[in-house]
Amino acid sequence: MARRVRMGMVGGGRGAFIGAVHRTAARLDDHVQLVCAALSADPDRAKASAADINLPDDRTYTSYKDMLQREAALPAAERMEFVAIVTPNHMHHPVALAALEHGFHVLSDKPATRTLDECRDIAKLVEQTGLLYALTHNYTGYPMIRHARDLIASGSLGAVRKVVAEYAQGWLATPLEQTDHKQAAWRTDPERAGAGGCLGDIATHAHNLAEYVTGLDVQHLAADLTTFVDGRPLDDDANILLRFNNNAKGVLHASQIAVGAENDLSLRVYAEKGALEWRQPDANTLLVHHLDAPTQILRAATAHTSDASRAATRIPPGHPEGYLEAFANIYAAFAAAVRARNDNSAPPADAPDYPGITAALRGMAFIEAALTSSKNNAAWTPVSVD
Ligand SMILES: NC(=O)c1ccc[n+]([C@@H]2O[C@H](COP(=O)([O-])OP(=O)(O)OC[C@H]3O[C@@H](n4cnc5c(N)ncnc54)[C@H](O)[C@@H]3O)[C@@H](O)[C@H]2O)c1
């Protein structure tokens, strides 16, 4: 029986953005139950936030350290099984390490950490403990992204030649961080965000999507990072050239000063015999172009999509599924893996995958390489996790 896996949460209190998205995504398939949380670093806010979502007092914690210690002391059948980390970036490393040390699996939002070295610490502990680690690169959960990946892997379009990955936003086109805007404040603070601004916040999603869909690794890059808004200590715009391990080339454009852009994530892949085009605002459509045949408009949840793609949908074609459902696909996959691990059972043979510690390391290597390259006048720089 698919019992509910017990989740704890760190971060995601009143006024936070992504914590509530995680809670919704976790509940969508009824396979996860939030049993405890430390929702804020401020004890009063942590308590008030927990009351808002009906968490019992005895499972409401005012610090993540307290939560990990007290949960670890509970009987195995009661205690949380994994922790979801939805704090600003600087807390991902200490919380992930402490959770693994206390025997809990970890699901963290991205970027994994502030530096590649911090991420290596987590990777080492994941390996030593054998515990599970997921990183919520949620866009890999979209059904048409999964179809795109299967299509490239099938080889029917031939070898990939060029990838264009874009993630444009416009919300940081002004010094929003100088107002009372919490999310803008930590994202533009190197102490809390890490050394990449737009780079860590959204370029990492575009990088991850490019590697996920093509099955290729970015091996070298040349990055031109810019801070357009006066006084902002981190980049707010990134133009990056990519070289992949099969000699494919790529262009990655990410920006938070792209006035008018919302969350304009898109991916184009040009291969020898055809090409793919996907855009988040029309997430359930994938265009497939052919050298010598008309363009196909493929739609999610139809019989024309791959098994993995159809498995990532819940309702018939035409009913809009989107961001939350794609996010929930990561949760469904991770919950199945945690349940199988903790129940000593085999995960279902067709269990979908989720981005893990390798994606975490590759994302941090991408950030560090881009920072190094940009400091050296966009010099070609290796992307290496070693
Ligand atoms: N995958 C995505 O699509 C996506 C989207 C947005 C944000 N994110 C990531 O999610 C994370 C959070 O971003 P956000 O926009 O929700 O930030 P936010 O500022 O809205 O929320 C952060 C929350 O963490 C809490 N917090 C901070 N320190 C804490 C501590 N020591 N203990 C407990 N709680 C603590 C804050 O009180 C707040 O409730 C970031 O790493 C960000 O990069 C991912």
Side-chain angles (χ1 to χ4, degrees):
M1 195 180 109
R3 66 173 182 82
R4 289 183 183 152
V5 173
R6 296 177 301 279
M7 167 169 96
M9 180 168 273
V10 179
R14 275 185 186 175
F17 167 43
I18 209 69
V21 169
H22 279 248
R23 292 193 292 271
T24 304
R27 290 182 56 169
L28 205 64
D29 297 299
D30 247 343
H31 289 167
V32 178
Q33 185 186 2
L34 180 72
V35 294
C36 64
L39 293 166
S40 170
D42 173 324
D44 291 337
R45 205 174 177 85
K47 284 187 198 154
S49 303
D52 288 347
I53 58 169
N54 289 312
L55 264 187
D57 289 349
D58 63 342
R59 305 294 284 274
T60 295
Y61 300 100
T62 51
S63 87
Y64 77 88
K65 289 183 181 162
D66 193 30
M67 175 167 109
L68 295 173
Q69 268 169 17
R70 285 170 50 195
E71 286 291 318
L74 290 175
E78 271 178 52
R79 74 174 80 115
M80 72 164 175
E81 296 173 84
F82 76 94
V83 64
I85 305 174
V86 292
T87 62
N89 306 346
H90 68 300
M91 293 306 298
H92 295 183
H93 176 255
V95 179
L97 289 183
L100 292 165
E101 278 159 5
H102 281 83
F104 298 111
H105 305 292
V106 169
L107 176 146
S108 172
D109 218 312
K110 46 49 57 182
T113 48
R114 283 179 303 183
T115 64
L116 179 56
D117 271 347
E118 284 185 354
C119 193
R120 289 191 183 112
D121 293 342
I122 296 175
K124 216 179 289 167
L125 206 51
V126 166
E127 197 182 340
Q128 280 168 11
T129 58
L131 292 162
L132 303 174
Y133 176 92
L135 188 73
T136 44
H137 273 307
N138 44 298
Y139 304 106
T140 63
Y142 274 118
M144 297 320 286
I145 287 295
R146 295 203 167 162
H147 184 80
R149 181 166 83 145
D150 290 344
L151 204 54
I152 298 289
S154 76
S156 65
L157 298 182
V160 172
R161 288 174 165 167
K162 177 163 179 170
V163 181
V164 182
E166 303 180 64
Y167 198 153
Q169 299 177 332
W171 70 293
L172 289 175
T174 60
L176 196 60
E177 61 272 28
Q178 289 170 24
T179 65
D180 195 20
H181 195 294
K182 217 168 84 138
Q183 282 83 11
W186 73 254
R187 278 175 171 80
T188 53
D189 170 9
E191 260 309 297
R192 289 179 286 171
C198 165
L199 187 61
D201 208 30
I202 55 174
T204 44
H205 277 307
H207 162 259
N208 173 263
L209 209 59
E211 292 199 341
Y212 178 82
V213 168
T214 62
L216 301 173
D217 288 348
V218 175
Q219 286 198 323
H220 291 86
L221 58 73
D224 185 12
L225 307 178
T226 309
T227 305
F228 281 106
V229 172
D230 281 347
R232 180 171 287 165
L234 295 178
D235 63 273
D236 49 28
D237 185 80
N239 298 302
I240 307 179
L241 297 180
L242 311 171
R243 289 178 182 159
F244 291 86
N245 54 329
N246 76 334
N247 295 320
K249 300 292 173 78
V251 179
L252 191 156
H253 148 59
S255 185
Q256 293 180 313
I257 53 91
V259 173
E262 293 177 343
N263 277 282
D264 295 351
L265 174 65
S266 68
L267 186 72
R268 281 174 282 165
V269 180
Y270 300 100
E272 289 165 326
K273 292 185 273 181
L276 302 176
E277 275 189 73
W278 177 88
R279 296 172 57 245
Q280 172 161 257
D282 190 12
N284 290 327
T285 298
L286 179 71
L287 297 185
V288 186
H289 304 292
H290 302 279
L291 264 185
D292 47 14
T295 293
Q296 292 176 301
I297 303 172
L298 296 185
R299 296 278 297 155
T302 64
H304 314 291
T305 56
S306 68
D307 292 349
S309 179
R310 283 198 309 284
T313 64
R314 293 167 182 78
I315 45 181
H319 295 308
E321 288 189 84
Y323 182 81
L324 292 170
E325 288 86 349
F327 221 115
N329 289 333
I330 309 298
Y331 264 91
F334 190 61
V338 170
R339 189 190 306 117
R341 175 64 63 89
N342 286 359
D343 295 354
N344 282 322
S345 60
D350 58 352
D353 213 355
Y354 53 85
I357 196 66
T358 303
L361 287 165
R362 291 205 54 76
M364 294 314 302
F366 163 78
I367 291 174
E368 295 215 340
L371 290 164
T372 303
S373 168
S374 193
K375 273 186 205 124
N376 291 303
N377 200 23
W380 282 102
T381 304
V383 179
S384 170
V385 299
D386 301 324

